[in-house]
Amino acid sequence: MNKNISSIRGMHDYFSEDLDIWHKLEKNFKQVLNNYSFEEIKLPILEKTEIFQKAIGNVTDIIEKEMYSFYDKKGNSLTLRPEGTVGCLRAIIQNNLLYKKKLKFWYLGPMFRYERPQKGRYRQFYQLGVEVLGLSEIDIDLEMILLTSRLWKMLGIHLNLTLEINSIGLKLDRIKYQKELVLFLKQYESFLDEESKRRLYSNPFRILDSKNLNIQRILKKAPSLNDFINNNSLNRFNDLCNIMNIHGIKYQFNPNLVRGLDYYTDTVFEWKSDEIGSKDTICAGGRYDSLSQELCGIKTPAIGFAIGIERLILLMKSLNICAIKKERINIYIIFLGKENKNHAISLSEEIRDTYPRLNIFINFSNCSLSKKIKHAVESSSRIAILIGSNEIKNKCYLIKELKTKKEFYLFKNELMLKIDSVFNKYLSKDN
Ligand code: ATP
Ligand code: MG
């Protein structure tokens, strides 16, 4: 392997093995999102750096160390989006959509974060993001959770995911809490890992999220954010828990659940699974009522979540939930002798005209007939059509059914009927 020809660390290529699941996911996403009347929005991958700095908060992991930022030819600082919420809100503000009653958007695309690559953590990864603006009631928080639950059921992974929720109140509550938390943690500073030591002075709130078991043990005695949250937020959270009970949603209250980004308020939630490592988060979200005010001065309640596509695929694979294997080639066309090439091309075009859903492959190589047949068998195509000078003279084709190994000659009209009958199910299926 040539070492110079390789992708950037943490950035991956995806082939059909993953893409089959990927397409299944996209199909299910779209169905569920339509079901809840969401509309798609396509956003640029690059945004001005300052917009992320303004929105995400300067002491978060993302701003401190994860952004891919660079200067363009005019010296403007640009950033490859590390997440989608900020760009989505920027688009809504820029297009004067904030006044609209119904703002329910989704997007799917790559995000970029300079992280330490490991299983389920990459430098380019894909997210499905969902955002709702203009609605402050708990009903829409509930709808986010109902929507994600429905999606897990459709994908057959609902038994392997747990919902954790918490309320992180308002920024002011967190500032008060943070002071107490820091006082508490300073007593244990020498027991903290390097990352948490650093966070103690930059973003102590994030220590609550630590996966380090020693730190989790220390945190058991720490002051609880819950005791610092204002009454309105507490009541709101209790109402949300009650309405989730009414709708039979199972959840775990996790008082240490926080979000990595500064703009969150009140409800936060995560769907976690044990299957792909230590309680990994597949989907994370929450309310961000203060973000729009910070960006444009207009207060607009908002809630959203993002699903990490690669982690979802890892989970599905670990559960052996795969997409139905698609036949990569349905009909394999072999011509014998260069002089019959154009006949093969015309026939394949005619089949494509009549059956646009079929995958038709012509072997244009110069290799021997036996090699071509071997390749046809290996490609697991259903039928091969052999075209030689004799066949053309007799206006027929030699058909090989590759699974049953039957061989027979057919005239063109018979061939079309045969294709119809062999691929009947395939053609009528919504695939
Ligand atoms: P973590 O604590 O794992 O770093 P985060 O709080 O940074 O997560 P979010 O910004 O909330 O993650 O992103 C939402 C989802 O996107 C995550 O739950 C995860 O599924 C996925 N995700 C985030 N970062 C990555 C990454 N570097 N590689 C792959 N997936 C990711
Ligand atoms: Mg992160």
Side-chain angles (χ1 to χ4, degrees):
M1 195 183 70
N2 185 337
K3 275 197 181 157
N4 294 327
I5 301 184
S6 62
S7 69
I8 295 163
R9 200 161 106 85
M11 303 202 177
H12 298 285
D13 308 306
Y14 299 99
F15 294 94
S16 44
E17 187 200 347
D18 285 329
L19 292 181
D20 281 349
I21 307 184
W22 200 297
H23 294 148
K24 176 185 166 128
L25 290 179
E26 278 185 31
K27 203 170 139 192
N28 283 287
F29 289 157
K30 284 182 191 165
Q31 190 178 323
V32 173
L33 289 159
N34 273 338
N35 221 208
Y36 285 83
S37 69
F38 278 83
E39 281 171 38
E40 185 176 3
I41 181 168
K42 277 203 192 294
L43 301 159
I45 286 172
L46 278 177
E47 296 278 353
K48 292 177 188 161
T49 304
E50 64 189 52
I51 206 159
F52 293 113
Q53 285 167 338
K54 206 168 173 185
I56 295 179
N58 271 325
V59 288
T60 55
D61 280 358
I62 291 187
I63 298 289
E64 271 189 325
K65 54 188 171 78
E66 294 178 358
M67 292 218 296
Y68 277 93
S69 302
F70 59 93
Y71 293 100
D72 70 5
K73 290 197 168 86
K74 284 204 164 150
N76 303 307
S77 179
L78 306 180
T79 294
L80 281 168
R81 61 180 184 193
E83 54 88 83
T85 304
V86 173
C88 184
L89 193 51
R90 193 268 311 133
I92 289 169
I93 294 168
Q94 184 176 343
N95 291 284
N96 275 330
L97 298 176
L98 271 185
Y99 66 89
K100 270 198 170 184
K101 282 277 170 289
K102 178 194 152 215
L103 284 171
K104 293 173 94 176
F105 288 114
W106 67 269
Y107 47 85
L108 196 155
M111 307 295 159
F112 303 83
R113 296 185 193 175
Y114 193 81
E115 299 206 61
R116 197 164 65 82
Q118 51 193 287
K119 189 176 178 193
R121 189 174 296 283
Y122 313 108
R123 289 182 174 172
Q124 176 175 330
F125 61 98
Y126 285 72
Q127 279 186 340
L128 169 78
V130 171
E131 319 287 352
V132 179
L133 281 104
L135 298 169
S136 58
E137 293 75 16
I138 51 164
D139 311 310
I140 200 71
D141 302 29
L142 172 78
E143 197 176 90
M144 295 278 105
I145 288 160
L146 288 170
L147 186 163
T148 39
S149 307
R150 183 176 294 274
L151 186 62
W152 312 142
K153 275 197 197 118
M154 279 175 85
L155 297 172
I157 55 175
H158 53 296
L159 300 177
N160 302 87
L161 285 168
T162 354
L163 173 65
E164 292 188 1
I165 60 164
N166 190 20
S167 172
I168 57 168
L170 304 177
K171 210 170 175 176
L172 216 62
D173 306 334
R174 296 201 295 270
I175 291 172
K176 283 186 208 150
Y177 170 64
Q178 198 160 295
K179 275 190 196 144
E180 295 295 319
L181 181 67
V182 171
L183 277 178
F184 168 82
L185 286 172
K186 274 196 172 158
Q187 305 171 72
Y188 299 91
E189 195 166 348
S190 55
F191 299 102
L192 300 181
D193 57 22
E194 285 312 307
E195 179 146 68
S196 298
K197 272 185 192 153
R198 192 176 52 79
R199 283 179 167 160
L200 194 55
Y201 298 94
S202 59
N203 189 3
F205 205 49
R206 225 25 245 280
I207 300 177
L208 296 178
D209 221 10
S210 169
K211 296 193 171 73
N212 182 323
L213 291 179
N214 277 336
I215 294 174
Q216 279 181 17
R217 220 167 289 135
I218 295 171
L219 285 172
K220 282 203 176 118
K221 290 178 259 160
S224 170
L225 170 61
N226 228 34
D227 298 332
F228 292 77
I229 288 178
N230 70 84
N231 278 342
N232 269 351
S233 292
L234 271 186
N235 290 338
R236 192 181 187 285
F237 187 59
N238 286 337
D239 290 347
L240 176 62
C241 292
N242 286 337
I243 197 171
M244 290 210 295
N245 292 336
I246 292 172
H247 290 276
I249 294 164
K250 289 201 183 88
Y251 59 87
Q252 284 172 11
F253 167 56
N254 176 356
N256 286 344
L257 187 72
V258 290
R259 307 289 320 119
L261 312 180
D262 252 11
Y263 56 62
Y264 283 99
T265 48
D266 286 327
T267 313
V268 292
F269 64 93
E270 290 193 9
W271 286 96
K272 296 182 179 179
S273 167
D274 270 333
E275 306 289 329
I276 53 166
S278 57
K279 274 250 166 166
D280 242 322
T281 304
I282 302 288
C283 166
R287 191 156 268 289
Y288 51 94
D289 290 347
S290 62
L291 179 58
S292 128
Q293 187 155 30
E294 262 161 56
L295 283 183
C296 71
I298 302 168
K299 202 164 190 291
T300 311
I303 185 165
F305 65 81
I307 298 175
I309 306 296
E310 286 88 346
R311 287 196 199 167
L312 186 53
I313 291 177
L314 279 174
L315 173 62
M316 305 227 347
K317 278 184 169 173
S318 76
L319 296 172
N320 272 328
I321 302 174
C322 298
I324 302 160
K325 269 224 165 333
K326 268 197 197 158
E327 247 175 48
R328 304 263 171 249
I329 300 175
N330 304 123
I331 300 176
Y332 196 106
I333 297 183
I334 297 171
F335 58 90
L336 298 114
K338 271 189 189 155
E339 63 283 8
N340 298 319
K341 182 179 73 181
N342 285 329
H343 193 104
I345 295 174
S346 304
L347 177 70
S348 66
E349 287 302 302
E350 210 174 319
I351 303 175
R352 287 187 183 109
D353 285 344
T354 319
Y355 302 107
R357 279 167 171 246
L358 292 182
N359 298 357
I360 298 151
F361 178 87
I362 309 181
N363 188 327
F364 287 112
S365 78
N366 289 328
C367 64
S368 66
L369 175 62
S370 61
K371 271 208 176 137
K372 285 182 181 174
I373 291 177
K374 194 170 163 232
H375 183 228
V377 173
E378 283 168 1
S379 74
S380 52
S381 5
R382 209 92 59 93
I383 58 173
I385 303 174
L386 275 74
I387 307 167
S389 301
N390 274 344
E391 282 80 16
I392 291 177
K393 200 164 77 198
N394 297 323
K395 297 196 166 121
C396 64
Y397 303 102
L398 175 59
I399 313 299
K400 277 178 177 286
E401 281 188 352
L402 296 166
K403 296 217 166 82
T404 60
K405 296 205 167 103
K406 280 188 202 155
E407 279 188 21
F408 42 87
Y409 284 93
L410 291 179
F411 292 113
K412 165 103 64 68
N413 58 342
E414 292 173 327
L415 170 64
M416 291 305 200
L417 289 174
K418 181 73 188 167
I419 292 174
D420 222 293
S421 73
V422 170
F423 296 103
N424 189 301
K425 256 197 194 155
Y426 195 86
L427 294 169
S428 60
K429 206 170 57 190
D430 181 27
N431 66 47

